[in-house]
Amino acid sequence: TLSGSATDADNDPLTYRLIEAPQGMTINAAGLLTWTPERTQRALVKIVVSDGQFNAYQYYTLGVREMKEVKRLLSSSRLVSLTGSGGCGKTRLALQVAGDVAADYPDGVCLVELATLSDPVLVPQRIASALGLQQEPNRPLMETLTDHLKAWTLLLIFDNCEHMIDAVAQSVETLLHACPNLHVLTTSREALGIAGESAFRVPSLALPDVRRL
């Protein structure tokens, strides 16, 4: 959903949230904006920005062209990484794309959230947990994961990879090599840097200074 936090020009905290969906779009059960595929222009989304004392309204351009480009990359590459600065909307874009392409993946779309993970060694465990899989006795967890996923047509989304980029890259490379129908979408401040990766830089979301509006 279009909500979150940021800072203004003086590094004071701001919050923002969606208050109005653009004409021709709807909010689905998952809380994501959806629209018809033929829309190719940038859509205006009304948000409210607040510093706790004053509210300001801004029409933020939701990148429909960016959506189309990321979907195009996913159709030709099994690994697509959304990169960009913190708070620019990488996660939001990834989830919007996932909602649009979910029907292409009979075995589903799975989100692997890494923001709260502090130990890179635990990346495979976080993947297994997201998939509902458990480690088998006397067997490496990555072997269990590849055995289960090698016959699946699945989209895995790795969110917030930047603080353990090497561990994520190693796990993703192993999974993609062993699982021919697996696609991976990542969000990170930098690309994973492995073979076959297509990177897309997400433009920053500029929020207004509420005192100047």
Side-chain angles (χ1 to χ4, degrees):
T1 56
L2 284 170
S3 63
S5 60
T7 57
D8 64 12
D10 296 324
N11 288 324
D12 294 323
L14 296 173
T15 61
Y16 57 93
R17 61 185 174 85
L18 175 71
I19 62 172
E20 181 181 307
Q23 184 177 5
M25 296 188 180
T26 59
I27 301 177
N28 65 20
L32 303 177
L33 286 171
T34 59
W35 56 84
T36 53
E38 60 268 19
R39 267 189 90 105
T40 58
Q41 302 303 312
R42 299 176 69 88
L44 293 177
V45 178
K46 190 177 182 182
I47 62 173
V48 60
V49 183
S50 173
D51 64 358
Q53 295 180 334
F54 303 98
N55 288 340
Y57 297 93
Q58 179 187 14
Y59 279 92
Y60 163 61
T61 53
L62 183 67
V64 179
R65 286 197 178 98
E66 285 84 350
M67 282 275 300
K68 290 189 67 176
E69 177 60 16
V70 174
K71 289 193 289 184
R72 185 192 68 79
L73 290 174
L74 267 178
S75 70
S76 59
S77 175
R78 294 175 57 216
L79 170 60
V80 176
S81 292
L82 306 184
T83 66
S85 59
C88 71
K90 299 183 294 293
T91 299
R92 182 178 62 249
L93 179 58
L95 294 178
Q96 292 279 180
V97 169
D100 267 21
V101 303
D104 297 335
Y105 300 94
D107 295 302
V109 176
C110 182
L111 175 65
V112 182
E113 176 53 64
L114 300 171
T116 60
L117 196 64
S118 57
D119 187 351
V121 174
L122 298 179
V123 169
Q125 282 87 340
R126 184 58 60 93
I127 300 171
S129 177
L131 292 167
L133 301 176
Q134 295 183 347
Q135 185 163 10
E136 300 174 8
N138 304 315
R139 191 182 191 196
L141 184 53
M142 285 302 298
E143 186 176 315
T144 299
L145 289 172
T146 55
D147 271 3
H148 276 84
L149 296 180
K150 63 185 179 183
W152 291 11
T153 301
L154 175 78
L155 175 63
L156 269 182
I157 304 173
F158 290 82
D159 192 32
N160 295 299
C161 302
E162 53 273 351
H163 61 301
M164 48 187 61
I165 198 80
D166 292 337
V168 175
Q170 182 178 0
S171 294
V172 168
E173 192 168 35
T174 298
L175 291 172
L176 288 175
H177 179 74
C179 310
N181 297 317
L182 176 67
H183 282 69
V184 172
L185 181 62
T186 75
T187 74
S188 177
R189 296 192 181 188
E190 59 180 303
L192 299 187
I194 61 180
E197 180 180 29
S198 295
F200 179 84
R201 185 161 186 84
V202 180
S204 296
L205 166 61
L207 295 175
D209 186 338
V210 296
R211 293 165 298 182
R212 298 178 182 175
L213 296 178

